[in-house]
């Protein structure tokens, strides 16, 4: 009887663990295509250069990458500075725990291509491509 109960719990437990541990694949980001979001963008501090991101890639401050709370890794996102209309396309390769109102954390290169680093924060519109 005990082994039947154990076998009966094995499948549901395995499915639960698989569901909790799976990361969305970049190829599935198509369902996000056209998704837009507006909020504040910040950029990574220099001390994170070459540190491992949540996707496993090293952070490079000269690459056009970003951290987002929910978009799948590998998603390509057009980030537009609302104030000046400049935009940059970044690849999501990290996660963030952002303060209220912050929607994305950009690499230093990406941020500087659409705004002034001294401002620290800029209002942006995101569009998943």
């Amino acid at each position: 009887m005990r082994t039947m109960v154990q076998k009966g719990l094995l499948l549901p437990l395995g499915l639960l663990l698989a569901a909790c541990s799976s990361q969305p694949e970049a190829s599935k980001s198509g369902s996000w295509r056209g998704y837009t979001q507006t909020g504040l963008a910040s950029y990574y501090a220099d001390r994170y250069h070459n540190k491992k991101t949540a996707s496993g890639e090293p952070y490079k401050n000269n690459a056009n990458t970003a951290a987002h709370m929910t978009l799948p890794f590998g998603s390509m996102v057009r980030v537009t500075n609302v104030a000046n209309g400049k935009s940059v396309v970044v690849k999501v390769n990290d996660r963030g725990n952002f303060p209220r109102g912050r929607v994305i954390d950009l690499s230093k290169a990406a941020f500087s291509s659409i705004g002034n680093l001294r401002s620290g924060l800029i209002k942006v519109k995101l569009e998943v491509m």
Side-chain angles (χ1 to χ4, degrees):
M1 177 78 176
R2 183 175 175 181
T3 57
M4 287 189 63
V5 171
Q6 289 174 338
K7 285 182 183 177
L9 291 175
L10 189 59
L11 180 62
L13 181 61
L15 290 173
L16 178 65
L17 290 173
C20 292
S21 64
S22 297
Q23 286 290 334
E25 294 177 30
S27 63
K28 298 191 183 204
S29 65
S31 64
W32 288 84
R33 189 175 304 250
Y35 171 81
T36 61
Q37 186 178 23
T38 303
L40 295 174
S42 58
Y43 66 94
Y44 284 80
D46 287 335
R47 71 176 180 262
Y48 295 109
H49 185 67
N50 283 326
K51 302 279 187 200
K52 193 158 119 178
T53 64
S55 69
E57 297 176 19
Y59 164 68
K60 301 291 186 187
N61 59 15
N62 60 346
N64 287 338
T65 58
H68 191 275
M69 292 286 288
T70 55
L71 291 175
F73 294 141
S75 295
M76 300 304 289
V77 181
R78 176 178 289 117
V79 181
T80 304
N81 182 332
V82 174
N84 63 19
K86 291 182 180 180
S87 65
V88 64
V89 176
V90 297
K91 180 176 95 171
V92 174
N93 72 344
D94 203 6
R95 294 285 176 240
N97 186 12
F98 305 130
R100 182 179 214 129
R102 189 104 35 104
V103 295
I104 198 164
D105 200 9
L106 300 171
S107 65
K108 196 171 186 179
F111 190 98
S112 66
S113 71
I114 62 171
N116 188 331
L117 290 173
R118 287 179 282 167
S119 65
L121 293 172
I122 53 176
K123 187 170 183 182
V124 295
K125 178 182 177 186
L126 310 181
E127 181 184 359
V128 178
M129 303 176 68

